[in-house]
Amino acid sequence: MKKTLISIICLVCAILPMSAQDFTFALLTDTHISKHNPAPAEDLNKVVTEINNNPKIEFVIVSGDLSEEGDFTSLSQAKAILAKLNKPYYAVLGNHETKWTESGMTDFGKIFGSERVKFEHKGFLFLGFNTGPLLRMADGHVVPQDISWLEKELSEAPINQPTFLITHYPLLKGDVDNWYDVTNAVRKYNIKSFLGGHYHSNRFFQYDGIPGIISRSTLRDKDNNPGYTLINVVNDSLYVSEKKINQAPIQWKSLSLTEKYYTKESGNDIYPDFSVNNEYPLVKKIWMNKSGVGIYSSPALYKKNIYVGDDMGYLSAYRIKDGKKLWQFKAEHRILGTPEADNNVVVFGAADKHIYGLNANNGKLLWKIKANAPVLGAVTIHNNIAFIGASDGVFRAIDILSGNIVWQYNQVKGYVETKPLVTDNKVIFGAWDNTLYALNEQTGEVEWLWTGDIKGMHFSPAAVWPVAAHGKVFITDPKRAMTAISLQSGETIWRTNQSMVRETIGLSEDNQRIYSKTMNDSVVCYSAETDIPEHLWSTDVGFGYEHAPSMPIEKEGVLYGSTKNGLMFALNSTTGQIIWKHKVGNSLINTLVPLDKNRVLFTATGGEIGLLEYKNK
């Protein structure tokens, strides 16, 4: 009886006018503090000063992209400015903290206290969480463990408690790949609105029917005015106003706090289309595990097992035959780089600033090496030496049997995420400093450095996994160009923007062709032999806009590829003819690992791990 009475009271409080609960808060977003540009800091300081002079503002929400490059210096500067506020503030991450993150996103939590936000104010619950993407260029994504956290917090809150959800990205198709997972998880609760940014403008959306308020950036506008958003909760309504510095607020939206804008049932949005699977019915899942944790690394194949790192810091071994989990090892923070195994040792780096060597049979720790910053790079093992880059400016060569460092090169100017290429006694890798490095495999001494006159950190050849053939190293980069570089000298042989490719490259097994995904629908093939860019074929795969750094991989005459929205495909590597397509979920599929011409292993940021087979007989 007592519980029923409490439930009735909570329901009544949710629908009655809330004049006793009136309050005002500020929504700031997209501050983009940069160590290279003082203007964003000047704008944010002006906003903070004005907020401090307004006693009606009771707290401040900052909805992501606090920094331009996600680096420690810029995030610390943002924190120092926000610390001047004379009222509480709460911050969530934006894509500039997650895509470009030298720390593997660990700096944000250290500086601001957490990657999530939870607080209550005058009967309202506020929950904030990350919308990604983490390190890889892709759509935004809410990892499974954050959705589980969100559901837990909402289910444990008082019945029908009015709630605001704080994200950076709008929960829209094209912005967040699994928006529907979030909206379906929260729609049975009393969500008043999402609050966010990203678009640098005042917008109102409905995410599957749930209201979504998007704020302008604090950066000065075309009239040189910094600004922010004021939100007033008055009686039974919510009023949203733009506030430019030293100007009166201008209301641009209002919402009822008693009207129900959506139902508990599934919304009306157009959900992802899986009909492509009906077009290619010969493709079957041999097995698929849902880990419940985001995965940003490809599986490492060794003998009869694969090894997968995840966002919670687990390195797990699975049996290829049936997907059975064999063992699990816990690092102290997330694993983002792809591991590799050889000679019964599996090697990986983690954001906890360590490189690990484990027994590949049972997961027992053999050795670990401490770096001076998170280790985000993928591993390449060659002749029992593991090559891996970190975020401390050091690239290491490690004997996998002893765990001893063979050599280290400490002049890398940016953080490393790529998988190194070992060829012709050279180790070749890119970093987020506009540079492609070629080091001597035996000594670690510089053979050459290539920059290609690329300006701006964001255009670095850092996510692509280089390949080499016929005396040339091939890369693609965010400038949407494909480049052939002399393996011997590091000089540019050719560079072309013809196909609008980005951060993906693959090499045929016979070393005659190179492959890449374009940024819209197509896969292209060029000659690896010629000293000019010779285009051989293009295939319209129909995957739409695409910018995920998942590499095309050839096996037994079949070219395998994957996309940011859950699609995998197989092409005839000689002609480009489509063999099959298959969609698993709607999130980024990491670089695939083919077993043969009919079977391919995959992992996805949605937490899926699996094996597909094309049964063409």
Side-chain angles (χ1 to χ4, degrees):
M1 180 67 183
K2 182 179 179 181
K3 186 175 181 180
T4 302
L5 181 60
I6 292 173
S7 299
I8 293 172
I9 292 172
C10 290
L11 180 61
V12 171
C13 289
I15 61 175
L16 287 178
M18 294 176 289
S19 57
Q21 303 296 313
D22 292 356
F23 61 93
T24 298
F25 64 94
L27 174 60
L28 281 55
T29 192
D30 296 276
T31 61
H32 289 280
I33 301 301
S34 171
K35 59 188 176 183
H36 305 297
N37 179 10
E42 294 170 3
D43 294 341
L44 182 56
N45 269 304
K46 290 178 181 178
V47 168
V48 167
T49 297
E50 182 169 286
I51 289 173
N52 282 342
N53 291 330
N54 185 348
K56 292 183 179 180
I57 298 176
E58 299 184 30
F59 60 91
V60 176
I61 288 172
V62 189
S63 64
D65 276 8
L66 286 80
S67 63
E68 176 65 17
E69 296 178 354
D71 59 290
F72 182 85
T73 300
S74 299
L75 285 170
S76 297
Q77 186 180 6
K79 165 75 172 179
I81 297 172
L82 292 169
K84 298 175 185 178
L85 285 163
N86 58 12
K87 52 209 71 186
Y89 72 91
Y90 308 90
V92 298
L93 304 100
N95 58 295
H96 279 252
E97 280 81 55
T98 61
K99 169 61 185 89
W100 295 284
T101 170
E102 62 189 6
S103 73
M105 217 168 70
T106 60
D107 280 347
F108 189 92
K110 291 176 183 176
I111 293 169
F112 291 96
S114 176
E115 294 175 9
R116 297 168 177 158
V117 163
K118 176 189 175 182
F119 69 97
E120 293 187 60
H121 190 83
K122 294 185 176 179
F124 285 77
L125 177 63
F126 291 79
L127 298 173
F129 52 96
N130 176 30
T131 49
L134 182 47
L135 205 63
R136 313 294 182 232
M137 182 60 75
D139 290 345
H141 179 78
V142 183
V143 290
Q145 65 267 29
D146 278 351
I147 296 176
S148 297
W149 169 82
L150 190 60
E151 289 182 297
K152 178 178 181 293
E153 294 296 338
L154 288 168
S155 66
E156 294 178 354
I159 296 174
N160 216 36
Q161 181 174 23
T163 301
F164 288 98
L165 300 179
I166 310 162
T167 64
H168 178 67
Y169 274 117
L171 269 292
L172 296 172
K173 180 181 179 180
D175 285 311
V176 175
D177 57 31
N178 63 335
W179 81 93
Y180 53 93
D181 286 334
V182 180
T183 57
N184 285 337
V186 305
R187 62 188 314 109
K188 58 187 174 183
Y189 301 100
N190 188 16
I191 309 302
K192 294 307 177 188
S193 182
F194 281 83
L195 306 172
H198 188 61
Y199 282 4
H200 291 225
S201 60
N202 301 318
R203 307 277 190 96
F204 175 76
F205 296 110
Q206 288 185 298
Y207 310 149
D208 240 359
I210 305 172
I213 294 166
I214 297 299
S215 172
R216 62 156 290 166
S217 167
T218 58
L219 300 175
R220 62 196 70 175
D221 58 20
K222 58 183 178 60
D223 297 319
N224 214 34
N225 291 315
Y228 55 100
T229 294
L230 279 177
I231 298 180
N232 298 290
V233 175
V234 181
N235 294 324
D236 60 354
S237 298
L238 180 117
Y239 300 96
V240 185
S241 301
E242 179 177 8
K243 181 65 177 74
K244 296 183 180 181
I245 299 299
N246 298 323
Q247 295 185 24
I250 299 175
Q251 181 184 319
W252 61 269
K253 186 63 181 178
S254 64
L255 290 172
S256 169
L257 293 176
T258 57
E259 181 180 345
K260 194 68 171 177
Y261 290 96
Y262 60 94
T263 66
K264 293 181 179 181
E265 289 70 38
S266 180
N268 297 318
D269 275 3
I270 301 174
Y271 288 5
D273 182 3
F274 290 86
S275 61
V276 65
N277 296 346
N278 297 327
E279 298 176 35
Y280 299 92
L282 296 180
V283 183
K284 304 294 184 181
K285 297 184 189 72
I286 302 302
W287 56 264
M288 187 174 78
N289 297 337
K290 292 188 176 182
S291 68
V293 180
I295 298 173
Y296 297 90
S297 73
S298 294
L301 174 65
Y302 178 63
K303 294 184 177 179
K304 297 181 180 180
N305 301 333
I306 57 170
Y307 304 88
V308 178
D310 69 35
D311 196 31
M312 297 293 286
Y314 287 100
L315 194 285
S316 302
Y318 298 88
R319 192 162 60 192
I320 293 174
K321 178 182 177 181
D322 54 12
K324 179 182 178 180
K325 184 184 290 187
L326 302 174
W327 54 257
Q328 197 170 60
F329 176 89
K330 181 72 165 67
E332 296 176 20
H333 220 303
R334 58 174 53 97
I335 301 167
L336 296 173
T338 296
E340 185 151 310
D342 197 12
N343 212 337
N344 208 38
V345 180
V346 57
V347 181
F348 66 96
D352 63 8
K353 304 182 182 180
H354 286 90
I355 303 165
Y356 293 86
L358 307 182
N359 183 302
N361 288 329
N362 56 31
K364 300 295 184 183
L365 179 66
L366 299 175
W367 51 262
K368 69 176 180 178
I369 294 170
K370 190 175 190 313
N372 296 313
V375 185
L376 313 180
V379 183
T380 296
I381 298 175
H382 187 249
N383 293 333
N384 286 332
I385 305 298
F387 300 94
I388 184 170
S391 297
D392 57 0
V394 181
F395 189 91
R396 294 169 173 86
I398 304 164
D399 185 308
I400 67 170
L401 300 179
S402 66
N404 294 329
I405 295 177
V406 178
W407 55 256
Q408 55 186 30
Y409 172 79
N410 61 2
Q411 298 298 314
V412 183
K413 304 303 181 185
Y415 64 95
V416 178
E417 70 167 272
T418 187
K419 182 177 176 64
L421 167 68
V422 181
T423 184
D424 193 36
N425 202 38
K426 296 178 181 64
V427 184
I428 300 169
F429 62 95
W432 287 103
D433 58 7
N434 303 114
T435 305
L436 190 73
Y437 293 79
L439 307 181
N440 184 280
E441 180 184 355
Q442 308 302 321
T443 66
E445 296 178 352
V446 173
E447 296 279 345
W448 47 259
L449 304 176
W450 179 91
T451 61
D453 295 322
I454 295 175
K455 307 297 182 184
M457 181 273 283
H458 293 157
F459 297 115
S460 302
V464 66
W465 296 1
V467 297
H470 301 285
K472 296 182 283 291
V473 178
F474 300 96
I475 60 169
T476 52
D477 58 60
K479 290 287 280 187
R480 306 179 181 186
M482 180 185 292
T483 306
I485 300 163
S486 169
L487 183 58
Q488 186 64 33
S489 68
E491 298 295 320
T492 300
I493 296 175
W494 57 257
R495 181 172 171 84
T496 179
N497 293 90
Q498 175 183 348
S499 296
M500 294 287 285
V501 294
R502 176 178 180 141
E503 299 178 297
T504 67
I505 198 76
L507 179 68
S508 64
E509 289 183 298
D510 62 8
N511 290 344
Q512 302 305 301
R513 300 173 301 281
I514 52 175
Y515 314 102
S516 188
K517 292 183 296 182
T518 72
M519 293 185 67
N520 195 51
D521 285 323
S522 298
V523 173
V524 293
C525 175
Y526 283 74
S527 171
E529 300 179 272
T530 60
D531 288 341
I532 58 171
E534 181 182 342
H535 178 266
L536 300 179
W537 56 256
S538 297
T539 297
D540 184 350
V541 182
F543 45 65
Y545 178 71
E546 172 64 20
H547 56 349
S550 52
M551 308 304 134
I553 304 290
E554 183 184 333
K555 189 75 171 181
E556 298 179 2
V558 176
L559 180 65
Y560 292 96
S562 59
T563 73
K564 67 181 176 64
N565 291 125
L567 184 72
M568 291 173 273
F569 55 86
L571 311 179
N572 180 301
S573 61
T574 303
T575 66
Q577 180 181 0
I578 297 173
I579 301 172
W580 58 259
K581 295 190 282 185
H582 191 83
K583 188 173 173 65
V584 178
N586 201 50
S587 63
L588 168 67
I589 303 290
N590 300 300
T591 297
L592 299 172
V593 176
L595 298 177
D596 50 43
K597 64 180 180 180
N598 293 321
R599 297 178 299 158
V600 64
L601 294 155
F602 66 92
T603 58
T605 58
E608 297 88 355
I609 307 154
L611 173 63
L612 293 185
E613 182 175 16
Y614 176 61
K615 298 185 177 183
N616 62 341
K617 293 182 180 179

